[in-house]
């Protein structure tokens, strides 16, 4: 199984409550809160698609979409 | 199936506060169920009353939102009457171990195959920050304005002593571990207990000057350690995480089936 | 085939009735004077493929039967005063969530631990108002073993028909006394089976949307319809709401489904009412002594009659009023300080003509006890 490659951070702005957990715990500091206190990926190129943000988000508001990693 | 297929999307965003650790338990639970690939129709989620108990309304299974402390009692009726169902019982720490403490130990004693998830935020969240049996000595709460003198339960030790046959502990920080434990607990054929330490920034955090959600969830990393780690020997104050008990003992519903056989004149 | 005849305790008559009605799941906690029901079902239920569980207390017992009812089973628990007190929160939950179940309370002397091995009828008002909040409830009672059997079957039938908990108020005397019971043959008494939804898989099922006839078809947990059950005020899907319109609609529904059917739910027996000048109103074990007095006085030319109530709640006020019209006096016979007395007074046109014949010392009220009071009422002295 090859390493999954990031395609997109899908952030549901209606569900995100701006708790900052994903921002604080991202190992690569990819995420930040914007002026409306919603998570945004400001440095997507640094993302290693570890999905730690996705599995910890208490609001199911962030999803890491990866390139299909079969083959 | 993506995990969104297991929730009732129309009720989102959910009612929990920003950064509430209970949300991460929901997240982990959904992933565990997704990995198991079970049909939604064979899962029953029974909860009591509390912030934690609201979890049942958000998941697209058969859901029973009951009375404060009584979730396991209702669940026992569901399970024994229809053992083929997978019964999952998420509870708050007060729910499970104060008002519901008796049902907790007796469900464990019977070893009836259900999955109890204790969402332990060390406080009564829903009612506004009173201390719970998990707050512990020195903790601040609206009913412990001079700091609590009540000693706390150790959920794991209690579950073990009462006879639970799967006992594990993790935290909202260790979401992947949580998912694995819930997954295994659901598969376990006996009474299983998964304690998940969660942050309540609104009440416990504020009263105990723990900072915001991010600081609180990070603290779980610092104050816990895997079972039997070297760190634990050096620092006995650390709380151990991992699977403490996993054993096969006769399961209650299966044993009752034997009673039926005997009563009907069989073997 | 002929009816099986047994010589049993009232508690056994109750469990025989429950099995006849199709009881499939029982949870209970031992307490005098109801333990024989719990013990008997531990023995008998598995033999018919049902499930019995002894829970850690009465709170969990009622919770467990509600859970088992939701998976599609006929369920029951039995207890006595102290346990009945513990069950009130669960009972209210069953009222709110409209889950069929039968709760037997074999009354003993109260309050508190009271008189465990003596009789009483002191839980009548607790059956009505033990649950917090406005609500309606059905409570039945019986005075003979044959009636205990039939009222137990009725309790299940009413619970299933109206999706409601039904309380069966027995008492220590009936529960422990032995007498003859003829078990009706299968099919002799009508049985109501659970009304299940005909809504197919993939089509929206509304667990709390009544049909035109007011009934709410159920769907078993584990079936194709996933829905929510909560003790909070809820919408037709079972999800919490505090919308005043929906809250109002639900409390009215819970109230009306019982209170609008007072006459349908009324079970009672009439003895010598046509020409009676004085009438006794009684129920349960007290009605046995009352009937004895009626028959005895009739031999001496006194025109006494008896209205025996088998439905206590909802209180059949119209029937009571109708039967009491024009009577010289109405004597309520019960083993408490006058719990049904007040209902009768409220119901009749001349409340001053309603008297109480009671006994509250733990001893069974006897025909001489009642006769003594009768003489007092008639101004004849003791
Ligand atoms: C019989 C009863 N007593 C008290 C309450 C009030 N009550 C509701 S939730 C709760 C405590 C909740 O704390 P916990 O179980 O830890 O759940 P959390 O909200 O922290 O998730 C209490 C005391 C109640 N609903 N019912
Ligand atoms: S963890 Fe979730 S809710 Fe919190 S800021 Fe990130 S995306 Fe938003
Ligand atoms: S997937 Fe990992 S690296 Fe990428 S944003 Fe989320 S936490 Fe950061
Ligand atoms: S009060 Fe605490 S437990 Fe309740 S939702 Fe808010 S953060 Fe969570
Ligand atoms: Mg709590």
């Amino acid at each position: 199984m090859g390493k999954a490659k990031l395609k997109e951070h899908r952030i549901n702005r209606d569900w995100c409550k701006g708790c900052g957990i994903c921002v604080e715990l991202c190992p690569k500091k990819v995420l930040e809160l914007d002026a409306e206190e919603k998570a945004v990926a400001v440095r997507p190129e640094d993302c290693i698609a570890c999905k730690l943000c996705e599995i910890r988000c208490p609001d199911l508001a962030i999803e890491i979409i990866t390139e299909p990693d079969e083959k | 199936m993506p995990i969104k297929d297991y929730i009732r999307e129309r009720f989102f965003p959910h009612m929990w506060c920003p950064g509430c650790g209970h949300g991460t338990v929901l997240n982990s639970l959904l992933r565990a169920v997704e990995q198991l690939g079970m049909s939604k129709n064979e899962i029953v989620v029974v909860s009591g009353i509390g912030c934690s108990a609201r979890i049942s309304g958000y998941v697209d299974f058969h859901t029973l939102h009951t009375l404060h402390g009584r979730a396991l009692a209702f669940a026992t009726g569901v399970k024994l009457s229809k053992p083929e169902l997978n019964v999952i019982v998420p509870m708050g720490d007060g729910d499970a171990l104060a008002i519901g403490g008796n049902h907790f130990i007796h469900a464990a004693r019977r070893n009836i195959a259900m999955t109890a998830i204790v969402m332990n935020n060390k406080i009564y969240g829903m009612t506004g920050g009173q201390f719970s049996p998990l707050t512990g000595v020195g903790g601040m709460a609206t009913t412990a304005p001079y700091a609590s003198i009540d000693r706390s339960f150790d959920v794991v030790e209690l579950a073990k002593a009462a006879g639970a046959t799967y006992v594990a502990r993790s935290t909202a920080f260790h979401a992947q571990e949580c998912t694995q434990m819930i997954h295994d607990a659901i598969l376990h054929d006996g009474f299983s207990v998964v304690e998940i330490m969660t942050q309540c920034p609104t009440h416990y955090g504020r009263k105990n000057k723990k900072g915001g959600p991010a600081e609180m969830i990070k603290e779980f990393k610092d104050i816990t350690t895997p079972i039997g780690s070297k760190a634990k020997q050096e620092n006995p104050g650390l709380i151990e995480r991992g699977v403490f008990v996993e054993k096969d003992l006769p399961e209650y519903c299966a044993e009752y089936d034997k009673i039926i056989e005997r009563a009907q004149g069989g073997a | 085939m002929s009816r099986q005849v047994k010589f049993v305790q009232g508690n056994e008559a109750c469990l025989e009735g429950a099995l006849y009605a199709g009881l499939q799941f029982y949870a209970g906690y031992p307490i005098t004077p109801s333990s024989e029901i719990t013990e008997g079902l531990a023995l008998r239920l598995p033999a018919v493929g049902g499930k019995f569980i002894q829970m850690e207390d009465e709170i969990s017992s009622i919770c467990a039967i509600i859970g088992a009812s939701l998976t599609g089973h006929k369920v029951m628990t039995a207890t006595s005063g102290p346990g009945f007190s513990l069950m009130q929160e669960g009972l209210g939950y069953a009222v709110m969530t409209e889950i069929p179940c039968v709760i037997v309370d074999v009354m003993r002397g109260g309050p508190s631990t009271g008189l465990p091995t003596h009789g009483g009828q002191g839980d009548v008002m607790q059956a009505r108002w033990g649950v917090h909040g406005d609500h309606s409830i059905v409570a039945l009672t019986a005075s003979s073993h044959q009636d205990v059997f039939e009222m137990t079957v009725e309790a299940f039938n009413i619970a299933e028909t109206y999706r409601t908990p039904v309380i069966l108020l027995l008492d220590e005397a009936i529960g422990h006394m032995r007498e003859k019971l003829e078990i009706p043959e299968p099919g002799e008494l009508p049985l109501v089976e659970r009304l299940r939804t005909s809504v197919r898989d993939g089509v929206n099922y509304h667990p709390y949307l009544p049909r035109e006839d007011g009934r709410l078809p159920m769907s078993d947990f584990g079936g194709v319809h996933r829905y929510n059950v909560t003790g909070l005020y809820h919408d037709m899907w079972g999800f919490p709401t505090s919308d005043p319109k929906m809250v109002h609609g639900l409390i009215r529904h819970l109230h009306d489904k019982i209170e609008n059917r007072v006459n349908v739910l009324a079970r009672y027996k009439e003895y010598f009412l046509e020409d009676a000048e004085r009438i006794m109103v009684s129920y349960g074990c007290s009605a046995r002594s009352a009937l004895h007095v009626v028959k005895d006085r009739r031999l001496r030319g006194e025109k006494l009659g008896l209205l025996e109530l088998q439905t206590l709640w909802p209180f059949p006020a119209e029937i009571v009023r109708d039967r009491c019209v024009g009577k010289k006096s109405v004597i309520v016979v019960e083993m408490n300080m006058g719990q049904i007395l007040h209902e009768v007074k409220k119901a009749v046109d001349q409340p001053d003509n309603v008297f109480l014949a009671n006994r509250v010392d733990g001893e069974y009220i006897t025909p001489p006890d009642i006769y003594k009071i009768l003489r007092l009422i008639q101004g004849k002295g003791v």
Side-chain angles (χ1 to χ4, degrees), chain C residues 76-97:
Chain C
M76 182 171 96
T77 184
T79 185
S80 186
F84 192 49
S85 295
L86 289 181
M87 286 183 183
Q88 296 302 323
E89 196 189 12
L91 182 57
Y93 185 85
V95 168
M96 184 59 130
T97 53

Side-chain angles (χ1 to χ4, degrees), chain C residues 223-257:
Chain C
V224 294
H225 300 294
R226 297 180 302 279
Y227 57 97
N228 189 53
V229 175
T230 178
L232 291 164
Y233 274 92
H234 45 268
D235 59 22
M236 64 185 174
W237 288 280
F239 291 105
T241 179
S242 51
D243 175 342
K245 253 173 74 185
M246 282 197 237
V247 170
H248 187 255
L250 179 52
I251 194 167
R252 289 264 23 142
H253 161 75
L254 294 176
H255 180 268
D256 292 351
K257 76 172 183 182

Side-chain angles (χ1 to χ4, degrees), chain B residues 8 10-11 40-45 49 54 56-58 60-68 70 72-83 85 99 102-104 106-107 109-110 112 252-253 256-257 259-261 263-264, chain C residues 25 41-43 45-57 59-73 89-90 93 97 99 201 220-232 235 237 239-240:
Chain B
R8 292 165 172 153
R10 62 189 182 285
F11 298 123
K40 296 196 274 186
N41 289 342
E42 51 181 330
I43 297 174
V44 181
V45 171
I49 296 290
R54 285 305 189 99
S56 57
Y58 297 119
D60 188 20
F61 308 123
H62 301 282
T63 55
L64 184 55
H65 180 234
T66 67
L67 300 170
H68 189 36
R70 315 302 173 198
L72 284 169
F74 283 89
T76 298
V78 171
K79 180 67 185 180
L80 181 59
S81 66
K82 212 172 202 173
L85 295 175
I99 191 163
N102 203 31
H103 310 309
F104 183 83
H106 286 278
R109 175 180 61 77
R110 289 188 192 102
I112 183 163
Y252 196 79
C253 301
Y256 198 84
D257 283 342
I259 297 255
I260 293 179
E261 250 174 63
Q264 294 183 337
Chain C
F25 188 96
L41 286 169
L43 181 73
L45 252 187
V48 296
K51 307 256 169 101
F52 165 92
I53 185 168
Q54 180 171 314
M55 294 299 290
E56 51 272 20
D57 56 25
I59 299 174
S60 49
S61 297
I62 191 164
C63 296
I65 66 166
I66 294 170
S69 185
L70 267 169
T71 62
H73 300 91
E89 196 189 12
Y93 185 85
T97 53
I99 296 176
D201 190 7
D220 299 346
F221 266 31
V224 294
H225 300 294
R226 297 180 302 279
Y227 57 97
N228 189 53
V229 175
T230 178
L232 291 164
D235 59 22
W237 288 280
F239 291 105

Side-chain angles (χ1 to χ4, degrees), chain C residues 23 25-29 37 58 61-62 65 75-79 87 102-105:
Chain C
L23 174 71
F25 188 96
Y26 180 96
Y29 189 82
I37 299 176
E58 290 85 349
S61 297
I62 191 164
I65 66 166
V75 302
M76 182 171 96
T77 184
T79 185
M87 286 183 183
V102 174
I103 297 104
V104 184
D105 173 14

